[in-house]
Coordinates of all heavy atoms in Angstrom, one line a residue:
M29 N -19.8 16.5 2.3 CA -18.9 15.6 2.7 C -19.4 14.1 2.3 O -20.4 13.7 2.2 CB -18.8 15.5 4.2 CG -18.4 16.8 4.9 SD -16.6 16.7 4.8 CE -16.2 18.3 5.4
N30 N -18.2 13.5 2.1 CA -18.3 12.0 1.6 C -17.6 11.1 2.6 O -16.7 11.6 3.2 CB -17.9 11.7 0.2 CG -18.6 12.7 -0.8 OD1 -19.9 12.4 -1.0 ND2 -18.1 13.5 -1.4
K31 N -17.9 9.9 2.6 CA -17.2 8.9 3.4 C -16.1 8.1 2.6 O -16.4 7.8 1.5 CB -18.1 7.8 4.1 CG -18.9 8.3 5.2 CD -19.7 7.2 5.8 CE -20.5 7.7 6.9 NZ -21.4 6.6 7.5
F32 N -14.9 8.1 3.1 CA -13.8 7.3 2.5 C -13.2 6.5 3.5 O -13.0 6.7 4.6 CB -12.7 8.4 1.8 CG -13.4 9.3 0.9 CD1 -13.6 10.6 1.4 CD2 -13.5 9.0 -0.4 CE1 -14.2 11.5 0.4 CE2 -14.0 9.8 -1.3 CZ -14.4 11.1 -0.9
K33 N -12.8 5.2 3.0 CA -12.2 4.3 3.9 C -10.6 4.3 3.6 O -10.2 4.1 2.5 CB -12.7 2.9 3.8 CG -14.2 2.6 4.2 CD -14.5 1.2 4.1 CE -15.9 1.0 4.8 NZ -16.3 -0.3 4.7
I34 N -9.8 4.6 4.6 CA -8.4 4.4 4.7 C -7.9 3.7 5.9 O -8.6 3.6 6.9 CB -7.8 5.7 4.3 CG1 -8.1 6.8 5.4 CG2 -8.1 6.4 3.0 CD1 -7.3 8.0 5.3
D35 N -6.6 3.7 6.0 CA -6.0 3.2 7.3 C -6.6 2.0 7.8 O -7.4 2.1 8.9 CB -6.0 4.2 8.4 CG -5.0 5.4 8.0 OD1 -4.2 5.2 7.1 OD2 -5.2 6.4 8.6
N36 N -6.6 0.9 7.3 CA -7.3 -0.5 7.7 C -8.7 -0.4 7.7 O -9.4 -0.6 8.7 CB -6.6 -0.9 9.0 CG -5.2 -1.1 8.9 OD1 -4.6 -1.6 7.9 ND2 -4.5 -0.8 10.0
N37 N -9.4 0.2 6.7 CA -10.8 0.5 6.5 C -11.5 1.3 7.5 O -12.7 1.2 7.9 CB -11.5 -1.0 6.5 CG -11.2 -1.7 5.3 OD1 -11.0 -1.1 4.2 ND2 -11.1 -3.1 5.4
T38 N -10.7 2.2 8.0 CA -11.3 3.2 9.0 C -12.1 4.3 8.1 O -11.4 4.7 7.0 CB -10.3 4.0 9.9 OG1 -9.6 2.9 10.6 CG2 -10.9 5.1 10.8
E39 N -13.3 4.7 8.4 CA -13.9 5.6 7.6 C -13.7 7.1 8.1 O -13.8 7.4 9.3 CB -15.4 5.4 7.7 CG -15.9 4.2 6.9 CD -17.5 4.0 6.7 OE1 -18.2 4.7 7.6 OE2 -18.0 3.3 5.9
Y40 N -13.6 8.0 7.1 CA -13.4 9.3 7.5 C -14.2 10.2 6.6 O -14.6 9.8 5.4 CB -11.9 9.8 7.1 CG -10.9 9.0 8.0 CD1 -10.3 7.9 7.7 CD2 -10.5 9.7 9.3 CE1 -9.3 7.3 8.4 CE2 -9.6 9.2 10.2 CZ -9.0 8.0 9.7 OH -8.1 7.4 10.5
L41 N -14.7 11.3 7.1 CA -15.5 12.2 6.2 C -14.5 13.3 5.7 O -13.7 13.7 6.3 CB -16.5 12.9 6.9 CG -17.6 12.0 7.7 CD1 -18.6 13.1 8.5 CD2 -18.5 11.5 6.6
A42 N -14.7 13.5 4.4 CA -13.9 14.5 3.6 C -14.7 15.0 2.5 O -15.6 14.4 1.9 CB -12.4 13.9 3.3
E43 N -14.0 16.2 2.0 CA -14.6 16.8 0.7 C -14.3 15.9 -0.6 O -15.1 15.7 -1.4 CB -13.9 18.2 0.6 CG -14.4 18.9 -0.7 CD -13.8 20.1 -0.7 OE1 -13.9 21.0 0.2 OE2 -12.9 20.4 -1.7
D44 N -13.0 15.4 -0.5 CA -12.6 14.4 -1.6 C -11.5 13.5 -1.2 O -11.0 13.6 0.0 CB -12.1 15.3 -2.7 CG -12.3 14.7 -4.1 OD1 -12.6 13.5 -4.2 OD2 -12.1 15.4 -5.1
F45 N -11.1 12.6 -2.0 CA -10.1 11.6 -1.8 C -9.3 11.6 -3.0 O -9.7 10.8 -4.0 CB -10.7 10.3 -1.4 CG -9.7 9.3 -0.8 CD1 -9.0 9.5 0.3 CD2 -9.5 8.2 -1.6 CE1 -8.0 8.5 0.7 CE2 -8.6 7.1 -1.2 CZ -7.9 7.4 0.0
I46 N -8.1 12.2 -3.1 CA -7.5 12.2 -4.5 C -6.0 11.5 -4.3 O -5.3 12.0 -3.2 CB -7.3 13.6 -4.9 CG1 -8.6 14.3 -5.1 CG2 -6.5 13.6 -6.3 CD1 -8.6 15.7 -5.5
G47 N -5.7 10.7 -5.1 CA -4.3 10.0 -5.0 C -4.1 9.4 -3.7 O -2.9 9.3 -3.3
G48 N -5.1 9.0 -2.9 CA -4.9 8.3 -1.7 C -4.9 9.2 -0.5 O -4.5 8.8 0.6
Y49 N -5.2 10.4 -0.7 CA -5.2 11.5 0.3 C -6.4 12.2 0.6 O -7.2 12.6 -0.4 CB -4.0 12.5 0.0 CG -2.7 11.9 -0.2 CD1 -2.2 11.8 -1.4 CD2 -2.0 11.4 0.9 CE1 -1.0 11.0 -1.6 CE2 -0.9 10.8 0.7 CZ -0.3 10.5 -0.5 OH 0.9 9.9 -0.8
L50 N -6.9 12.4 1.8 CA -8.1 13.1 2.1 C -8.0 14.6 1.9 O -7.0 15.1 2.2 CB -8.5 12.9 3.6 CG -8.8 11.4 4.0 CD1 -8.9 11.3 5.5 CD2 -10.2 11.0 3.4
I51 N -9.0 15.2 1.3 CA -9.0 16.5 1.0 C -10.0 17.2 1.9 O -11.2 16.7 1.9 CB -9.3 16.9 -0.4 CG1 -8.4 16.1 -1.4 CG2 -9.1 18.4 -0.8 CD1 -6.9 16.4 -1.4
N52 N -9.7 18.1 2.7 CA -10.6 18.8 3.7 C -11.4 17.8 4.5 O -12.6 17.8 4.5 CB -11.6 19.8 2.9 CG -10.8 21.0 2.4 OD1 -9.6 21.3 2.7 ND2 -11.4 21.7 1.6
P53 N -10.6 17.0 5.3 CA -11.3 16.0 6.2 C -11.9 16.7 7.3 O -11.6 17.8 7.8 CB -10.1 15.1 6.6 CG -8.9 16.0 6.5 CD -9.1 17.0 5.4
F54 N -13.0 15.9 7.8 CA -13.7 16.3 9.1 C -13.4 15.2 10.0 O -13.8 14.1 9.6 CB -15.1 16.6 8.8 CG -15.9 16.9 10.0 CD1 -15.9 18.2 10.5 CD2 -16.7 16.0 10.6 CE1 -16.5 18.6 11.6 CE2 -17.4 16.3 11.8 CZ -17.4 17.7 12.3
F55 N -12.7 15.4 11.1 CA -12.4 14.2 12.1 C -13.4 14.2 13.2 O -13.5 15.1 14.0 CB -10.9 14.5 12.5 CG -10.0 14.5 11.4 CD1 -9.0 15.6 11.4 CD2 -9.8 13.5 10.5 CE1 -8.1 15.8 10.3 CE2 -8.9 13.6 9.5 CZ -8.2 14.7 9.4
L56 N -14.0 12.9 13.2 CA -15.1 12.7 14.3 C -14.2 12.2 15.5 O -13.3 11.2 15.3 CB -16.0 11.7 13.8 CG -16.9 12.1 12.6 CD1 -17.8 10.9 12.1 CD2 -17.7 13.3 13.0
D57 N -14.6 12.6 16.6 CA -14.1 12.0 17.9 C -12.4 12.1 17.9 O -11.8 11.3 18.5 CB -14.4 10.6 18.0 CG -16.0 10.4 18.3 OD1 -16.6 11.3 18.8 OD2 -16.4 9.4 17.8
G58 N -12.0 13.1 17.2 CA -10.4 13.4 17.2 C -9.7 12.3 16.4 O -8.4 12.2 16.7
L59 N -10.3 11.5 15.8 CA -9.7 10.4 15.0 C -9.1 11.1 13.7 O -9.6 11.5 12.8 CB -10.8 9.4 14.6 CG -10.2 8.1 13.9 CD1 -9.3 7.3 14.8 CD2 -11.4 7.2 13.5
V60 N -7.7 11.0 13.7 CA -6.9 11.6 12.6 C -6.1 10.4 12.1 O -5.5 9.6 12.8 CB -5.8 12.7 13.2 CG1 -5.1 13.1 12.1 CG2 -6.7 13.8 13.9
P61 N -6.2 10.3 10.7 CA -5.3 9.2 10.0 C -3.9 9.3 10.1 O -3.3 10.4 10.5 CB -5.8 9.4 8.5 CG -6.1 10.8 8.4 CD -6.6 11.3 9.7
D62 N -3.1 8.1 10.0 CA -1.8 8.1 10.0 C -1.1 8.6 8.8 O 0.0 9.1 8.8 CB -1.3 6.7 10.2 CG -1.6 6.2 11.5 OD1 -1.7 6.9 12.6 OD2 -1.8 4.9 11.6
S63 N -1.9 8.7 7.7 CA -1.4 9.1 6.5 C -1.5 10.7 6.3 O -2.4 11.1 7.0 CB -2.0 8.5 5.2 OG -3.5 8.7 5.4
P64 N -0.9 11.3 5.5 CA -0.9 12.7 5.3 C -2.3 13.1 4.7 O -3.0 12.3 4.1 CB 0.1 13.1 4.2 CG 1.1 12.0 4.1 CD 0.4 10.8 4.6
F65 N -2.8 14.3 5.0 CA -4.1 14.8 4.5 C -3.9 16.2 4.0 O -2.9 16.9 4.4 CB -5.2 14.6 5.4 CG -5.0 15.4 6.8 CD1 -5.4 16.6 6.9 CD2 -4.4 14.6 7.9 CE1 -5.3 17.2 8.2 CE2 -4.2 15.3 9.1 CZ -4.6 16.6 9.2
I66 N -4.8 16.7 3.2 CA -4.6 18.1 2.6 C -5.8 19.0 3.0 O -7.0 18.5 3.0 CB -4.5 17.9 1.1 CG1 -3.2 17.1 0.7 CG2 -4.6 19.2 0.4 CD1 -3.1 16.7 -0.7
I67 N -5.5 20.1 3.3 CA -6.5 21.2 3.6 C -6.5 22.3 2.5 O -5.3 22.8 2.2 CB -6.2 21.9 5.0 CG1 -6.2 21.0 6.1 CG2 -7.3 23.0 5.2 CD1 -7.4 20.3 6.5
R68 N -7.6 22.4 1.7 CA -7.7 23.2 0.7 C -8.5 24.4 0.9 O -9.6 24.3 1.4 CB -8.2 22.5 -0.5 CG -8.3 23.4 -1.8 CD -8.6 22.5 -3.0 NE -9.6 21.7 -2.8 CZ -10.0 20.6 -3.7 NH1 -9.3 20.8 -4.9 NH2 -10.8 19.8 -3.5
T69 N -8.0 25.6 0.9 CA -8.8 26.9 1.1 C -8.9 27.6 -0.1 O -8.5 27.1 -1.3 CB -8.1 27.8 2.2 OG1 -6.8 28.3 1.7 CG2 -7.9 27.1 3.5
Q70 N -9.4 28.7 -0.1 CA -9.7 29.5 -1.3 C -8.4 29.9 -2.1 O -8.5 29.8 -3.4 CB -10.4 30.8 -1.0 CG -11.1 31.6 -2.1 CD -12.0 32.6 -1.8 OE1 -11.9 33.2 -0.7 NE2 -13.0 32.9 -2.6
H71 N -7.4 30.3 -1.5 CA -6.1 30.5 -2.0 C -4.9 29.7 -2.0 O -3.9 29.9 -2.6 CB -5.8 32.0 -1.5 CG -6.9 33.0 -1.9 ND1 -7.1 33.4 -3.1 CD2 -7.8 33.6 -1.1 CE1 -8.2 34.4 -3.1 NE2 -8.5 34.4 -2.0
K72 N -4.9 28.9 -0.9 CA -3.7 27.9 -0.6 C -4.1 26.6 -0.3 O -5.3 26.2 -0.1 CB -2.9 28.5 0.7 CG -2.4 30.0 0.4 CD -1.2 29.9 -0.5 CE -0.6 31.3 -0.7 NZ 0.5 31.4 -1.6
V73 N -3.2 25.7 -0.3 CA -3.3 24.3 0.0 C -2.3 24.0 0.9 O -1.0 24.2 0.7 CB -3.3 23.5 -1.4 CG1 -3.6 22.0 -1.0 CG2 -4.2 23.9 -2.4
S74 N -2.6 23.2 1.9 CA -1.5 22.8 3.0 C -1.6 21.2 3.1 O -2.7 20.6 3.1 CB -1.7 23.5 4.2 OG -3.0 23.3 4.8
V75 N -0.4 20.7 3.6 CA -0.3 19.2 3.8 C 0.0 19.0 5.3 O 0.8 19.8 5.8 CB 0.7 18.7 2.9 CG1 1.0 17.1 3.2 CG2 0.5 18.9 1.5
H76 N -0.8 18.2 5.9 CA -0.5 17.9 7.4 C -0.5 16.3 7.6 O -1.0 15.6 6.8 CB -1.8 18.5 8.0 CG -2.0 19.9 7.9 ND1 -1.6 20.9 8.6 CD2 -2.7 20.5 6.9 CE1 -1.9 22.1 8.1 NE2 -2.6 21.8 7.1
R77 N 0.1 16.1 8.7 CA 0.3 14.7 9.1 C 0.4 14.6 10.7 O 1.1 15.4 11.3 CB 1.4 14.0 8.5 CG 1.5 12.5 8.8 CD 2.4 11.7 7.9 NE 2.2 10.3 8.2 CZ 2.9 9.4 7.7 NH1 3.9 9.7 6.7 NH2 2.7 8.1 7.9
L78 N -0.2 13.5 11.2 CA 0.1 13.3 12.6 C 1.4 12.6 12.9 O 1.4 11.4 12.4 CB -1.1 12.4 13.2 CG -1.2 12.2 14.7 CD1 -1.4 13.7 15.4 CD2 -2.4 11.4 15.1
I79 N 2.4 13.1 13.6 CA 3.6 12.5 13.8 C 3.9 12.5 15.3 O 3.9 13.6 15.9 CB 4.9 13.2 13.0 CG1 4.4 13.3 11.6 CG2 6.1 12.5 13.3 CD1 5.4 14.1 10.9
N80 N 4.0 11.3 16.0 CA 4.3 11.1 17.3 C 3.1 11.8 18.1 O 3.6 12.5 19.2 CB 5.7 11.6 17.7 CG 6.8 10.8 17.1 OD1 6.6 9.6 16.7 ND2 7.9 11.5 16.8
G81 N 1.9 11.7 17.7 CA 0.9 12.4 18.5 C 0.8 13.9 18.3 O -0.2 14.4 18.9
C82 N 1.6 14.4 17.4 CA 1.4 15.8 17.2 C 1.1 16.1 15.7 O 1.6 15.5 14.9 CB 2.8 16.6 17.5 SG 3.3 16.5 19.3
L83 N 0.1 17.0 15.5 CA -0.3 17.3 14.2 C 0.8 18.4 13.5 O 1.1 19.5 14.2 CB -1.6 18.0 14.0 CG -2.4 18.1 12.7 CD1 -2.4 16.8 12.1 CD2 -3.5 18.8 12.9
R84 N 1.4 18.0 12.4 CA 2.5 18.9 11.8 C 2.1 19.2 10.5 O 1.5 18.5 9.6 CB 3.8 18.1 11.7 CG 4.2 17.7 13.2 CD 5.6 17.7 13.5 NE 6.6 18.5 12.8 CZ 7.8 18.2 12.6 NH1 8.3 17.2 13.1 NH2 8.6 19.1 11.9
C85 N 2.4 20.5 10.2 CA 2.2 21.0 8.7 C 3.4 20.7 8.0 O 4.5 21.2 8.4 CB 1.9 22.5 8.8 SG 1.6 23.2 7.1
W86 N 3.3 20.0 6.9 CA 4.5 19.8 6.0 C 4.8 20.8 5.1 O 5.8 21.1 4.5 CB 4.3 18.5 5.4 CG 4.5 17.3 6.1 CD1 4.9 17.2 7.4 CD2 4.5 16.0 5.6 NE1 5.1 15.9 7.8 CE2 4.8 15.1 6.7 CE3 4.2 15.4 4.4 CZ2 4.9 13.7 6.6 CZ3 4.2 14.0 4.3 CH2 4.5 13.2 5.4
G87 N 3.8 21.8 4.7 CA 4.0 22.7 3.9 C 2.8 23.4 3.4 O 1.7 22.9 3.5
I88 N 3.0 24.6 2.8 CA 1.8 25.3 2.2 C 2.1 25.8 0.8 O 3.2 26.1 0.5 CB 1.5 26.7 3.0 CG1 1.2 26.3 4.5 CG2 0.5 27.5 2.5 CD1 1.2 27.5 5.4
F89 N 1.2 25.4 -0.2 CA 1.5 25.6 -1.5 C 0.3 26.2 -2.2 O -0.9 26.6 -1.7 CB 1.5 24.0 -2.1 CG 2.4 23.2 -1.4 CD1 2.0 22.3 -0.4 CD2 3.7 23.2 -1.8 CE1 2.9 21.6 0.4 CE2 4.7 22.6 -1.1 CZ 4.3 21.6 0.0
D90 N 0.6 26.6 -3.5 CA -0.3 27.5 -4.3 C -1.2 26.5 -5.1 O -2.3 27.0 -5.4 CB 0.5 28.2 -5.3 CG 1.3 29.4 -4.7 OD1 0.7 30.0 -3.7 OD2 2.3 29.7 -5.1
T91 N -0.8 25.2 -5.3 CA -1.7 24.2 -6.1 C -1.9 23.0 -5.4 O -1.1 22.5 -4.6 CB -1.1 24.1 -7.5 OG1 0.0 23.3 -7.4 CG2 -0.8 25.4 -8.3
L92 N -3.0 22.4 -5.9 CA -3.2 21.0 -5.3 C -2.2 20.0 -5.7 O -1.7 19.0 -5.0 CB -4.7 20.5 -5.7 CG -5.0 19.1 -5.2 CD1 -5.1 19.0 -3.7 CD2 -6.4 18.9 -5.7
D93 N -1.7 20.1 -7.0 CA -0.7 19.3 -7.5 C 0.6 19.3 -6.5 O 1.2 18.4 -6.3 CB -0.3 19.4 -8.9 CG -1.4 18.9 -9.9 OD1 -2.1 18.1 -9.5 OD2 -1.5 19.6 -11.1
E94 N 1.0 20.5 -6.2 CA 2.2 20.6 -5.4 C 2.1 20.0 -4.0 O 2.9 19.3 -3.6 CB 2.5 22.2 -5.2 CG 3.0 22.9 -6.4 CD 3.1 24.4 -6.2 OE1 2.2 25.0 -5.6 OE2 4.1 25.0 -6.6
A95 N 0.8 20.2 -3.4 CA 0.5 19.7 -2.1 C 0.4 18.1 -2.3 O 1.1 17.3 -1.5 CB -0.9 20.1 -1.7
L96 N 0.0 17.6 -3.4 CA -0.2 16.1 -3.7 C 1.3 15.5 -3.6 O 1.5 14.4 -3.2 CB -1.0 15.7 -4.8 CG -2.5 15.8 -4.6 CD1 -3.2 15.7 -6.0 CD2 -3.0 14.8 -3.7
N97 N 2.2 16.3 -4.4 CA 3.6 15.7 -4.5 C 4.2 15.8 -3.1 O 5.0 14.9 -2.8 CB 4.3 16.7 -5.4 CG 4.1 16.3 -6.8 OD1 3.9 15.2 -7.1 ND2 4.3 17.4 -7.8
C98 N 4.0 16.7 -2.3 CA 4.6 16.7 -0.9 C 4.1 15.7 -0.1 O 4.8 14.9 0.5 CB 4.1 18.2 -0.2 SG 4.7 18.3 1.5
A99 N 2.7 15.4 -0.2 CA 2.2 14.2 0.5 C 2.8 12.9 0.1 O 3.1 12.0 0.8 CB 0.7 14.2 0.5
R100 N 2.9 12.8 -1.2 CA 3.4 11.6 -1.9 C 4.9 11.3 -1.5 O 5.3 10.0 -1.3 CB 3.3 11.6 -3.4 CG 3.3 10.3 -4.1 CD 3.0 10.5 -5.6 NE 1.6 10.8 -5.8 CZ 1.2 12.0 -6.4 NH1 2.1 12.9 -6.8 NH2 -0.1 12.3 -6.4
Y101 N 5.7 12.3 -1.6 CA 7.1 12.1 -1.4 C 7.6 12.8 -0.1 O 8.4 13.8 -0.1 CB 8.0 12.8 -2.6 CG 7.5 12.2 -3.9 CD1 6.7 13.0 -4.8 CD2 7.8 10.8 -4.2 CE1 6.3 12.5 -6.0 CE2 7.4 10.3 -5.4 CZ 6.6 11.1 -6.3 OH 6.2 10.5 -7.5
E102 N 7.1 12.2 1.0 CA 7.2 12.8 2.4 C 8.7 13.6 2.5 O 9.7 13.0 2.1 CB 7.4 11.6 3.4 CG 6.0 10.8 3.3 CD 6.1 9.6 4.2 OE1 7.0 9.6 5.1 OE2 5.2 8.9 4.2
P103 N 8.6 14.8 3.0 CA 9.9 15.5 3.2 C 10.7 14.7 4.1 O 10.4 14.2 5.2 CB 9.3 16.8 3.8 CG 7.8 16.9 3.8 CD 7.4 15.4 3.5
V104 N 12.0 15.0 3.9 CA 13.1 14.2 4.6 C 13.0 14.8 6.1 O 13.1 14.1 7.1 CB 14.4 14.5 4.1 CG1 15.4 13.9 5.0 CG2 14.5 13.8 2.8
W105 N 12.9 16.2 6.2 CA 12.8 16.8 7.5 C 11.7 16.3 8.4 O 11.8 16.4 9.6 CB 12.9 18.3 7.4 CG 11.6 18.7 6.6 CD1 11.7 19.2 5.3 CD2 10.3 19.0 7.0 NE1 10.5 19.5 4.9 CE2 9.6 19.4 6.0 CE3 9.7 18.8 8.2 CZ2 8.3 19.7 6.1 CZ3 8.3 19.1 8.4 CH2 7.6 19.4 7.3
H106 N 10.6 15.7 7.9 CA 9.6 15.3 8.9 C 9.9 14.3 9.9 O 9.2 14.1 10.9 CB 8.4 14.9 8.1 CG 8.3 13.5 7.8 ND1 8.8 12.9 6.6 CD2 7.7 12.4 8.5 CE1 8.6 11.6 6.6 NE2 7.9 11.3 7.7
Y107 N 11.1 13.6 9.7 CA 11.4 12.6 10.7 C 12.2 13.3 11.9 O 12.5 12.6 12.9 CB 12.5 11.5 10.1 CG 11.6 10.7 9.0 CD1 11.7 10.9 7.8 CD2 10.7 9.8 9.5 CE1 11.1 10.1 6.8 CE2 10.1 9.0 8.6 CZ 10.2 9.1 7.3 OH 9.4 8.3 6.3
I108 N 12.5 14.5 11.9 CA 13.3 15.2 12.9 C 12.4 15.6 14.0 O 11.3 15.9 13.9 CB 14.1 16.5 12.3 CG1 15.0 16.1 11.1 CG2 14.7 17.3 13.4 CD1 15.5 17.2 10.5

């Protein structure tokens, strides 16, 4: 795990930080960033974001590039 600063210099622990998004973050004290983050497992990659106090999954993908595109171009439906 490495430390990365995002969201007004708040530090987060994560496996990586690609394109402005945390990859496999570890949240201390329940501190979750406002920006999307990515969970990468052996076979799938998923994008998540905290919205109105609820953690929402934006999608599950086969590649990191697909997940990064989802995080970068926020889905329209996420405002619902």
Side-chain angles (χ1 to χ4, degrees):
M29 291 282 175
N30 298 300
K31 285 184 182 179
F32 300 98
K33 287 186 179 183
I34 63 172
D35 294 341
N36 299 325
N37 288 328
T38 302
E39 285 188 347
Y40 294 94
L41 292 175
E43 180 181 299
D44 208 346
F45 186 66
I46 300 173
Y49 303 100
L50 294 169
I51 310 296
N52 288 348
F54 181 76
F55 302 123
L56 299 172
D57 301 322
L59 185 62
V60 179
D62 291 332
S63 59
F65 59 91
I66 295 171
I67 303 296
R68 179 171 42 191
T69 64
Q70 194 170 21
H71 300 288
K72 295 291 180 181
V73 185
S74 56
V75 179
H76 305 268
R77 185 167 186 182
L78 190 65
I79 300 173
N80 296 325
C82 297
L83 193 57
R84 301 216 24 208
C85 178
W86 281 2
I88 300 171
F89 305 93
D90 292 323
T91 68
L92 180 59
D93 285 339
E94 291 173 320
L96 288 168
N97 279 333
C98 175
R100 192 174 299 117
Y101 303 110
E102 303 178 10
V104 173
W105 55 262
H106 89 269
Y107 293 104
I108 299 172

